[in-house]
Coordinates of all heavy atoms in Angstrom, one line a residue:
M1 N 96.5 172.6 118.6 CA 97.5 171.9 117.8 C 98.6 172.9 117.4 O 98.4 174.0 117.1 CB 96.8 171.3 116.6 CG 97.8 170.4 115.9 SD 97.1 169.5 114.5 CE 96.6 168.1 115.4
V2 N 99.8 172.4 117.4 CA 101.0 173.2 117.1 C 101.2 173.2 115.6 O 101.2 172.1 115.0 CB 102.2 172.7 117.8 CG1 103.4 173.4 117.4 CG2 101.9 172.7 119.3
D3 N 101.5 174.3 115.0 CA 101.9 174.4 113.6 C 103.4 174.4 113.5 O 104.1 175.4 113.8 CB 101.3 175.7 113.0 CG 101.6 175.9 111.5 OD1 102.2 174.9 110.9 OD2 101.3 176.9 111.0
V4 N 103.9 173.2 113.2 CA 105.4 173.0 113.1 C 106.1 174.0 112.2 O 107.2 174.5 112.5 CB 105.7 171.6 112.6 CG1 107.2 171.3 112.5 CG2 105.1 170.6 113.7
S5 N 105.4 174.4 111.1 CA 106.1 175.2 110.1 C 106.4 176.6 110.6 O 107.2 177.3 110.1 CB 105.3 175.3 108.8 OG 104.0 175.9 109.1
Q6 N 105.8 177.0 111.7 CA 105.9 178.4 112.3 C 106.9 178.3 113.5 O 107.2 179.4 114.1 CB 104.6 178.8 112.9 CG 103.6 179.0 111.8 CD 104.0 179.9 110.6 OE1 104.6 181.0 110.9 NE2 103.8 179.5 109.4
H7 N 107.5 177.1 113.8 CA 108.5 177.0 114.8 C 109.8 177.8 114.4 O 110.2 177.8 113.3 CB 108.8 175.6 115.1 CG 109.6 175.4 116.4 ND1 110.9 175.6 116.5 CD2 109.2 175.1 117.7 CE1 111.3 175.4 117.8 NE2 110.2 175.1 118.5
D8 N 110.5 178.4 115.4 CA 111.7 179.2 115.2 C 112.8 178.4 114.6 O 113.7 178.9 113.8 CB 112.2 179.8 116.5 CG 111.3 180.8 117.1 OD1 110.5 181.4 116.2 OD2 111.4 181.1 118.2
L9 N 112.9 177.1 114.8 CA 114.0 176.3 114.4 C 113.8 175.7 113.0 O 114.6 175.1 112.4 CB 114.3 175.1 115.3 CG 114.8 175.6 116.7 CD1 115.0 174.4 117.6 CD2 116.0 176.4 116.6
V10 N 112.6 175.8 112.4 CA 112.2 175.3 111.1 C 112.5 176.4 110.1 O 112.1 177.5 110.2 CB 110.7 174.9 111.0 CG1 110.4 174.4 109.6 CG2 110.4 173.8 112.0
P11 N 113.4 176.1 109.1 CA 113.8 177.0 108.1 C 112.6 177.4 107.2 O 111.6 176.6 107.1 CB 114.9 176.4 107.3 CG 114.8 174.9 107.5 CD 114.1 174.8 108.9
D12 N 112.7 178.5 106.5 CA 111.7 178.9 105.5 C 111.6 177.9 104.4 O 112.6 177.6 103.7 CB 112.0 180.3 105.0 CG 111.8 181.4 106.1 OD1 111.0 181.1 107.0 OD2 112.5 182.4 105.9
H13 N 110.3 177.5 104.1 CA 110.1 176.6 102.9 C 109.1 177.4 102.0 O 108.1 177.9 102.4 CB 109.4 175.3 103.4 CG 110.3 174.3 104.1 ND1 110.9 174.7 105.3 CD2 110.6 173.1 103.8 CE1 111.6 173.6 105.8 NE2 111.4 172.7 104.9
S14 N 109.5 177.4 100.7 CA 108.6 178.0 99.7 C 108.6 177.2 98.4 O 109.6 176.7 98.1 CB 108.9 179.5 99.5 OG 110.3 179.6 99.0
V15 N 107.5 177.3 97.7 CA 107.3 176.6 96.5 C 108.0 177.5 95.4 O 107.8 178.7 95.3 CB 105.8 176.4 96.1 CG1 105.7 175.7 94.7 CG2 105.2 175.5 97.1
V16 N 108.8 176.9 94.5 CA 109.5 177.6 93.5 C 108.6 177.6 92.2 O 108.1 176.6 91.8 CB 110.9 176.8 93.1 CG1 111.6 177.6 92.0 CG2 111.8 176.7 94.4
D17 N 108.5 178.8 91.7 CA 107.7 178.9 90.4 C 108.5 178.4 89.2 O 109.7 178.3 89.3 CB 107.2 180.4 90.2 CG 108.2 181.4 90.0 OD1 109.3 181.1 89.3 OD2 108.0 182.5 90.4
E18 N 107.8 178.2 88.2 CA 108.4 177.5 87.0 C 109.6 178.3 86.4 O 110.6 177.7 86.0 CB 107.4 177.2 85.9 CG 106.4 176.1 86.3 CD 107.2 174.8 86.5 OE1 108.1 174.4 85.7 OE2 106.8 174.1 87.5
D19 N 109.5 179.6 86.3 CA 110.6 180.4 85.8 C 111.9 180.3 86.6 O 113.0 180.2 86.0 CB 110.2 181.9 85.6 CG 109.0 182.1 84.6 OD1 108.9 181.3 83.7 OD2 108.3 183.1 84.7
D20 N 111.7 180.4 87.9 CA 112.9 180.3 88.8 C 113.4 178.9 88.8 O 114.6 178.8 88.9 CB 112.5 180.7 90.2 CG 112.2 182.2 90.4 OD1 112.6 183.0 89.5 OD2 111.5 182.6 91.3
L21 N 112.6 178.0 88.7 CA 113.0 176.5 88.6 C 113.9 176.3 87.4 O 115.0 175.7 87.6 CB 111.8 175.6 88.6 CG 112.2 174.1 88.5 CD1 113.0 173.7 89.6 CD2 110.9 173.3 88.4
E22 N 113.5 176.8 86.2 CA 114.3 176.6 85.0 C 115.7 177.2 85.2 O 116.7 176.7 84.8 CB 113.7 177.2 83.8 CG 112.4 176.4 83.4 CD 112.8 175.0 83.0 OE1 113.8 174.7 82.4 OE2 112.0 174.1 83.4
A23 N 115.8 178.4 85.9 CA 117.1 179.1 86.1 C 118.0 178.2 87.1 O 119.2 178.1 86.8 CB 116.9 180.4 86.7
V24 N 117.4 177.6 88.0 CA 118.1 176.8 89.0 C 118.7 175.5 88.3 O 119.8 175.2 88.5 CB 117.3 176.4 90.2 CG1 117.9 175.4 91.1 CG2 117.0 177.6 91.1
L25 N 117.7 174.9 87.6 CA 118.2 173.6 86.9 C 119.2 173.9 85.9 O 120.2 173.1 85.7 CB 117.0 173.0 86.2 CG 115.8 172.5 87.2 CD1 114.7 171.9 86.4 CD2 116.4 171.5 88.2
D26 N 119.2 175.0 85.2 CA 120.2 175.4 84.2 C 121.5 175.7 84.9 O 122.6 175.3 84.4 CB 119.8 176.6 83.3 CG 118.6 176.2 82.3 OD1 118.5 175.0 82.1 OD2 118.0 177.2 81.8
E27 N 121.4 176.4 86.0 CA 122.7 176.8 86.7 C 123.5 175.5 87.2 O 124.7 175.5 87.1 CB 122.3 177.6 88.0 CG 123.5 178.0 88.8 CD 123.1 178.8 90.0 OE1 121.9 179.2 90.2 OE2 124.0 179.0 90.9
Y28 N 122.8 174.5 87.6 CA 123.4 173.3 88.1 C 123.5 172.2 87.1 O 124.1 171.1 87.3 CB 122.7 172.8 89.4 CG 122.8 173.7 90.5 CD1 121.8 174.4 91.0 CD2 124.0 173.9 91.2 CE1 121.8 175.3 92.0 CE2 124.2 174.7 92.3 CZ 123.1 175.5 92.7 OH 123.2 176.3 93.7
D29 N 122.9 172.4 85.9 CA 122.9 171.5 84.8 C 122.4 170.1 85.2 O 123.0 169.1 85.1 CB 124.3 171.4 84.2 CG 124.3 170.6 82.8 OD1 123.3 170.7 82.1 OD2 125.3 170.0 82.5
I30 N 121.2 170.2 85.8 CA 120.5 169.0 86.3 C 119.1 169.0 85.8 O 118.5 169.9 85.4 CB 120.6 168.9 87.8 CG1 119.8 170.1 88.5 CG2 122.0 168.7 88.4 CD1 119.7 170.0 90.0
K31 N 118.4 167.8 86.1 CA 117.0 167.6 85.8 C 116.3 167.7 87.1 O 116.9 167.6 88.2 CB 116.7 166.3 85.1 CG 117.3 166.1 83.8 CD 117.0 164.8 83.2 CE 117.8 163.7 84.0 NZ 117.9 162.4 83.5
K32 N 115.0 168.0 87.1 CA 114.2 168.1 88.3 C 114.3 166.8 89.1 O 114.3 166.9 90.4 CB 112.7 168.4 87.8 CG 111.8 168.7 88.9 CD 110.5 169.2 88.2 CE 109.3 169.3 89.1 NZ 108.1 169.7 88.5
T33 N 114.3 165.7 88.5 CA 114.4 164.4 89.2 C 115.7 164.2 89.9 O 115.8 163.2 90.7 CB 114.0 163.3 88.3 OG1 114.9 163.3 87.1 CG2 112.5 163.4 87.8
D34 N 116.7 165.0 89.5 CA 118.0 164.8 90.2 C 118.1 165.4 91.5 O 119.1 165.2 92.3 CB 119.2 165.3 89.3 CG 119.3 164.6 88.0 OD1 119.0 163.4 88.0 OD2 119.7 165.2 87.0
L35 N 117.1 166.3 91.9 CA 117.1 167.0 93.1 C 116.9 166.0 94.3 O 116.2 165.0 94.1 CB 116.1 168.1 93.2 CG 116.3 169.3 92.2 CD1 114.9 170.1 92.1 CD2 117.4 170.1 92.8
P36 N 117.4 166.4 95.5 CA 117.0 165.5 96.6 C 115.5 165.6 96.9 O 114.8 166.6 96.4 CB 117.8 166.2 97.8 CG 118.8 167.0 97.2 CD 118.3 167.4 95.8
K37 N 115.0 164.6 97.5 CA 113.5 164.5 97.7 C 113.1 164.9 99.1 O 113.8 164.9 100.1 CB 113.1 163.0 97.5 CG 113.6 162.4 96.3 CD 113.3 163.1 95.0 CE 113.7 162.3 93.7 NZ 115.0 162.6 93.2
I38 N 111.8 165.4 99.2 CA 111.1 165.6 100.5 C 109.7 165.1 100.4 O 109.1 165.2 99.3 CB 111.2 167.1 100.8 CG1 110.6 167.4 102.2 CG2 110.4 167.9 99.8 CD1 110.8 168.8 102.7
K39 N 109.3 164.4 101.4 CA 108.0 163.8 101.3 C 106.9 164.8 101.5 O 107.0 165.8 102.2 CB 107.8 162.7 102.4 CG 108.7 161.5 102.2 CD 108.2 160.3 102.9 CE 109.0 159.2 102.6 NZ 108.3 158.1 101.9
R40 N 105.8 164.6 100.8 CA 104.6 165.5 100.9 C 104.0 165.6 102.3 O 103.5 166.6 102.7 CB 103.5 165.0 99.9 CG 102.2 165.8 100.0 CD 102.4 167.3 99.7 NE 101.3 168.1 100.1 CZ 101.3 168.9 101.1 NH1 102.3 169.0 101.9 NH2 100.2 169.6 101.4
A41 N 104.3 164.5 103.1 CA 103.8 164.5 104.5 C 104.6 165.3 105.5 O 104.3 165.4 106.6 CB 103.6 163.0 104.9
D42 N 105.7 165.8 105.0 CA 106.6 166.6 105.9 C 105.9 167.8 106.4 O 105.3 168.6 105.7 CB 107.9 167.1 105.1 CG 108.9 167.6 106.0 OD1 108.6 168.6 106.7 OD2 110.1 167.1 106.0
P43 N 105.8 167.9 107.7 CA 105.0 169.0 108.3 C 105.5 170.4 108.1 O 104.8 171.4 108.2 CB 105.0 168.7 109.8 CG 106.2 167.8 110.1 CD 106.4 167.1 108.8
A44 N 106.7 170.6 107.6 CA 107.3 171.9 107.4 C 106.9 172.5 106.0 O 107.1 173.6 105.7 CB 108.8 171.9 107.5
L45 N 106.4 171.6 105.1 CA 106.0 172.0 103.8 C 104.9 173.0 103.8 O 104.0 172.9 104.6 CB 105.6 170.9 102.9 CG 106.8 170.0 102.3 CD1 106.2 168.9 101.5 CD2 107.7 170.8 101.5
P46 N 104.9 174.0 102.8 CA 103.7 174.9 102.7 C 102.5 174.1 102.4 O 102.5 173.0 101.7 CB 104.1 175.8 101.6 CG 105.6 175.6 101.4 CD 105.9 174.3 101.9
D47 N 101.3 174.6 102.8 CA 100.0 173.9 102.5 C 99.8 173.7 101.0 O 99.1 172.8 100.6 CB 98.9 174.6 103.2 CG 98.9 174.5 104.7 OD1 99.5 173.5 105.2 OD2 98.4 175.4 105.3
D48 N 100.3 174.6 100.2 CA 100.0 174.6 98.7 C 101.0 173.7 97.9 O 100.8 173.6 96.7 CB 99.9 176.0 98.2 CG 101.3 176.8 98.3 OD1 102.1 176.4 99.2 OD2 101.4 177.8 97.6
A49 N 101.9 173.1 98.7 CA 102.9 172.3 97.9 C 102.2 170.9 97.5 O 101.5 170.3 98.3 CB 104.1 171.9 98.9
E50 N 102.5 170.5 96.3 CA 102.0 169.3 95.7 C 103.1 168.4 95.3 O 104.2 168.9 95.0 CB 101.0 169.6 94.6 CG 99.8 170.4 95.0 CD 98.9 170.8 93.8 OE1 99.2 170.3 92.7 OE2 97.9 171.5 94.1
V51 N 102.8 167.1 95.1 CA 103.8 166.2 94.5 C 104.2 166.7 93.1 O 103.4 167.1 92.3 CB 103.2 164.8 94.4 CG1 104.1 163.9 93.7 CG2 102.8 164.2 95.7
G52 N 105.6 166.8 92.9 CA 106.1 167.3 91.7 C 106.6 168.7 91.8 O 107.4 169.2 91.0
D53 N 106.2 169.4 92.9 CA 106.7 170.8 93.1 C 108.1 170.7 93.6 O 108.6 169.8 94.1 CB 105.9 171.6 94.1 CG 104.5 172.0 93.6 OD1 104.3 172.0 92.3 OD2 103.6 172.3 94.4
V54 N 108.8 171.9 93.4 CA 110.2 172.0 94.0 C 110.1 173.1 95.1 O 109.5 174.1 94.9 CB 111.2 172.4 92.9 CG1 112.5 172.7 93.6 CG2 111.3 171.3 91.9
I55 N 110.7 172.7 96.2 CA 110.7 173.6 97.4 C 112.1 174.2 97.6 O 113.1 173.5 97.5 CB 110.3 172.7 98.7 CG1 109.0 172.0 98.5 CG2 110.3 173.6 99.9 CD1 107.8 172.9 98.3
R56 N 112.1 175.5 97.9 CA 113.3 176.3 98.2 C 113.3 176.4 99.7 O 112.4 176.8 100.3 CB 113.2 177.6 97.6 CG 114.4 178.5 98.0 CD 114.2 179.9 97.4 NE 115.1 180.8 97.9 CZ 116.2 181.3 97.2 NH1 116.3 180.9 96.0 NH2 117.0 182.2 97.8
I57 N 114.4 175.9 100.3 CA 114.6 175.9 101.8 C 115.8 176.9 102.1 O 116.8 176.6 101.6 CB 114.8 174.6 102.3 CG1 113.7 173.6 101.9 CG2 115.0 174.6 103.9 CD1 114.0 172.1 102.3
E58 N 115.5 177.9 102.9 CA 116.5 178.9 103.3 C 116.8 178.7 104.7 O 116.0 178.9 105.6 CB 116.0 180.3 103.0 CG 115.9 180.6 101.6 CD 115.5 182.1 101.4 OE1 116.2 182.9 101.9 OE2 114.5 182.3 100.6
R59 N 118.1 178.3 105.0 CA 118.5 178.1 106.4 C 119.6 179.2 106.7 O 120.3 179.6 105.9 CB 119.2 176.8 106.5 CG 118.3 175.6 106.3 CD 119.1 174.3 106.6 NE 118.2 173.1 106.5 CZ 118.1 172.3 105.5 NH1 119.0 172.5 104.4 NH2 117.3 171.3 105.5
D60 N 119.6 179.5 108.0 CA 120.7 180.4 108.5 C 122.0 179.5 108.5 O 122.0 178.3 108.7 CB 120.5 180.8 109.9 CG 119.3 181.8 110.0 OD1 119.0 182.5 109.0 OD2 118.7 181.9 111.1
S61 N 123.1 180.2 108.1 CA 124.4 179.5 108.0 C 125.5 180.4 108.7 O 125.5 181.6 108.5 CB 124.7 179.3 106.5 OG 126.1 178.8 106.4
R62 N 126.4 179.8 109.4 CA 127.5 180.5 110.1 C 128.5 181.0 109.0 O 129.1 182.0 109.2 CB 128.1 179.6 111.1 CG 127.3 179.5 112.3 CD 128.2 178.8 113.4 NE 127.8 177.3 113.3 CZ 128.4 176.4 113.9 NH1 129.6 176.7 114.6 NH2 128.0 175.2 113.8
T63 N 128.6 180.3 107.9 CA 129.6 180.6 107.0 C 129.2 181.5 105.8 O 129.9 182.3 105.3 CB 130.3 179.3 106.3 OG1 129.3 178.5 105.8 CG2 131.1 178.6 107.4
T64 N 128.0 181.3 105.4 CA 127.5 182.1 104.2 C 126.3 182.9 104.5 O 125.6 183.4 103.6 CB 127.0 181.1 103.1 OG1 126.0 180.3 103.5 CG2 128.2 180.2 102.6
D65 N 126.0 183.1 105.8 CA 124.8 183.9 106.3 C 123.5 183.2 106.0 O 122.6 183.0 106.8 CB 124.8 185.3 105.7 CG 123.8 186.2 106.4 OD1 123.7 186.0 107.6 OD2 123.3 187.1 105.7
T66 N 123.2 182.8 104.7 CA 122.0 182.1 104.3 C 122.4 180.9 103.4 O 123.1 181.2 102.4 CB 121.0 183.0 103.6 OG1 120.7 184.0 104.5 CG2 119.7 182.2 103.3
A67 N 121.9 179.7 103.7 CA 122.2 178.6 102.8 C 120.8 178.2 102.1 O 119.8 178.1 102.8 CB 122.7 177.4 103.6
V68 N 120.8 178.1 100.8 CA 119.6 177.7 100.0 C 119.8 176.3 99.5 O 120.8 176.0 98.8 CB 119.4 178.8 98.9 CG1 118.2 178.4 98.1 CG2 119.2 180.1 99.5
V69 N 118.8 175.5 99.7 CA 118.8 174.2 99.1 C 117.4 173.9 98.4 O 116.4 174.6 98.8 CB 119.0 173.1 100.2 CG1 120.4 173.2 100.7 CG2 118.0 173.1 101.3
Y70 N 117.3 173.0 97.5 CA 116.1 172.7 96.8 C 115.7 171.2 97.0 O 116.6 170.4 97.0 CB 116.3 173.0 95.3 CG 116.6 174.5 95.1 CD1 117.8 175.0 95.0 CD2 115.5 175.4 94.9 CE1 118.1 176.3 94.8 CE2 115.7 176.7 94.7 CZ 117.0 177.2 94.6 OH 117.2 178.6 94.5
R71 N 114.5 171.0 97.1 CA 114.0 169.6 97.2 C 112.8 169.4 96.3 O 111.9 170.3 96.2 CB 113.5 169.3 98.7 CG 114.6 169.5 99.8 CD 115.6 168.3 99.7 NE 116.5 168.4 100.8 CZ 117.8 168.9 100.7 NH1 118.2 169.4 99.6 NH2 118.6 168.9 101.7
L72 N 112.7 168.2 95.8 CA 111.5 167.8 95.0 C 110.5 167.1 95.9 O 110.9 166.2 96.6 CB 111.9 166.8 93.9 CG 110.9 166.2 93.0 CD1 110.1 167.3 92.2 CD2 111.5 165.2 92.0
V73 N 109.3 167.5 95.8 CA 108.2 166.9 96.6 C 107.8 165.6 96.0 O 107.4 165.5 94.8 CB 107.0 167.8 96.8 CG1 105.9 167.2 97.6 CG2 107.4 169.2 97.3
V74 N 107.8 164.5 96.8 CA 107.4 163.2 96.4 C 106.3 162.7 97.3 O 106.1 163.2 98.4 CB 108.6 162.2 96.3 CG1 109.6 162.6 95.3 CG2 109.2 162.0 97.7
E75 N 105.6 161.6 96.9 CA 104.5 161.1 97.7 C 104.9 160.5 99.0 O 105.7 160.2 99.6 CB 103.8 160.1 96.9 CG 102.5 159.7 97.6 CD 101.3 159.8 96.6 OE1 101.5 160.3 95.5 OE2 100.3 159.5 97.1

């Protein structure tokens, strides 16, 4: 079976710890529920991701070298 999360075209996904999450939410002046959503069934998610966690996704970008986005894991 193929592990999709290890494919070259899938960006890095990692679970954000609570301290870093507070800094991100404060920076953007938003609540956790205001973040875009990602389904728990998404094959790119880390195995330890649970509903309610926030995922940091780092993509390569032509303009900024690395683009970082955050998603809230939902059912």
Side-chain angles (χ1 to χ4, degrees):
M1 184 174 272
V2 176
D3 184 2
V4 175
S5 66
Q6 299 304 313
H7 193 280
D8 291 339
L9 297 178
V10 176
D12 292 333
H13 289 61
S14 58
V15 178
V16 178
D17 64 35
E18 289 300 317
D19 294 335
D20 292 338
L21 176 58
E22 287 303 318
V24 169
L25 296 178
D26 288 344
E27 178 181 349
Y28 294 107
D29 192 28
I30 59 173
K31 296 179 289 192
K32 189 172 166 179
T33 55
D34 294 332
L35 290 168
K37 313 299 187 267
I38 187 169
K39 291 201 176 245
R40 175 59 194 109
D42 191 302
L45 284 180
D47 292 334
D48 60 340
E50 298 178 2
V51 173
D53 285 344
V54 174
I55 304 298
R56 176 186 170 104
I57 304 171
E58 293 185 46
R59 295 183 175 104
D60 292 334
S61 171
R62 285 187 261 167
T63 56
T64 64
D65 193 35
T66 302
V68 177
V69 295
Y70 297 91
R71 300 285 185 265
L72 176 63
V73 179
V74 296
E75 191 124 0

